[in-house]
Amino acid sequence: MGQKANAKGLRLGILYNWSSRWFFSDKKKYRLTLISDIKLRNLLMKKLAYSSVTQIDIERAINKITLIIYSVKPGMIIGRGGKGLEELKKIITQTLEIKEKNKEVKIDLKIEPVKKPYLNSYYVAQTIAEKLIRNFSHRAVVHNAINRVIEAGAKGIKIQLGGRIAGAEISRREKYFQGKVPLSTIREDIDFARYPALTKSGYIGIKVWICK
């Protein structure tokens, strides 16, 4: 079971919390709010890619929307004198279609730093993808990432690459392990992420499991 299911999804409510925290009894409102959350999260992930954002949590109350952004470089989001946060609020109001005159809905932004980036699977997958796009040797990139993760204090790591690796004519999968990654043990804190790398020969899918 642990090998097939998403490692974070399997541990939701036990070790991990939901990334969208709100509830509506009205089915239509629930559906529309969920779609708007997904669109907003995808947009902000692309816009803030330069600051290595790893996770965005959205909390909704009756008249308040709170966004908790986890970033490796939080200073780049905040900007000088908080100008970056003001621009972010404008983007959020436009995407959520909240009128500026409507003072009832308040947008609150919290920027949280990622203290150990090499224990975050999304950040590791992102760094591997960036290097693969720049034509680095995939084995060197993966082994370097594995060493850094183990140095950061992880129990184990598993990395899987899938696609036309190193420009090969036939797509294949390659798996790399170090340490212990017990995916079926629910009490184990395992961070999982997938990230696509668009290389010259096509997409390479990257999956990273880190046992903290």
Side-chain angles (χ1 to χ4, degrees):
M1 183 64 188
Q3 302 292 327
K4 303 289 179 189
N6 184 309
K8 271 194 168 179
L10 190 65
R11 290 160 178 81
L12 260 181
I14 301 160
L15 290 176
Y16 293 106
N17 205 344
W18 281 259
S19 53
S20 288
R21 295 189 281 273
W22 44 265
F23 183 77
F24 294 111
S25 56
D26 181 18
K27 285 183 180 179
K28 191 183 176 184
K29 200 175 182 183
Y30 189 98
R31 177 167 52 83
L32 293 171
T33 311
L34 184 65
I35 291 163
S36 73
D37 269 19
I38 293 162
K39 283 181 181 176
L40 180 65
R41 194 175 282 111
N42 291 340
L43 178 81
L44 292 179
M45 281 296 222
K46 284 178 184 175
K47 286 259 184 191
L48 304 171
Y50 60 88
S51 63
S52 300
V53 171
T54 59
Q55 189 181 326
I56 297 169
D57 290 351
I58 300 167
E59 292 176 355
R60 288 175 187 260
I62 298 163
N63 299 321
K64 192 179 178 184
I65 298 167
T66 307
L67 273 90
I68 305 158
I69 300 167
Y70 295 87
S71 172
V72 177
K73 302 163 189 172
M76 290 179 82
I77 298 171
I78 297 160
R80 283 188 178 178
K83 281 185 179 179
L85 291 177
E86 286 172 17
E87 286 173 16
L88 258 183
K89 279 186 181 179
K90 283 180 184 177
I91 293 163
I92 293 158
T93 49
Q94 284 170 2
T95 49
L96 295 175
E97 295 175 357
I98 299 165
K99 291 176 184 177
E100 287 181 14
K101 290 177 184 177
N102 188 3
K103 292 179 181 178
E104 288 178 8
V105 179
K106 189 186 174 188
I107 294 166
D108 190 23
L109 290 174
K110 292 178 184 177
I111 313 297
E112 295 287 335
V114 178
K115 290 172 184 176
K116 290 185 177 180
Y118 277 97
L119 286 181
N120 189 293
S121 59
Y122 189 87
Y123 177 74
V124 173
Q126 196 178 38
T127 50
I128 291 167
E130 283 170 4
K131 286 176 181 176
L132 290 178
I133 291 162
R134 284 187 277 159
N135 253 348
F136 280 75
S137 166
H138 68 281
R139 282 194 182 92
V141 168
V142 168
H143 287 303
N144 182 40
I146 287 169
N147 291 337
R148 289 209 170 189
V149 169
I150 297 298
E151 280 170 19
K155 283 184 185 177
I157 179 170
K158 177 183 169 185
I159 295 171
Q160 182 180 295
L161 303 179
R164 289 180 63 191
I165 301 162
E169 285 186 17
I170 299 166
S171 66
R172 66 179 190 273
R173 279 187 203 166
E174 283 190 15
K175 290 181 182 179
Y176 302 87
F177 297 88
Q178 194 166 325
K180 289 183 179 180
V181 187
L183 297 178
S184 297
T185 312
I186 292 171
R187 65 175 174 269
E188 280 289 351
D189 188 358
I190 290 168
D191 197 15
F192 169 73
R194 51 165 72 94
Y195 197 92
L198 182 56
T199 61
K200 288 177 183 177
S201 54
Y203 273 106
I204 292 174
I206 300 153
K207 289 182 179 180
V208 178
W209 293 262
I210 295 172
C211 180
K212 295 179 183 179

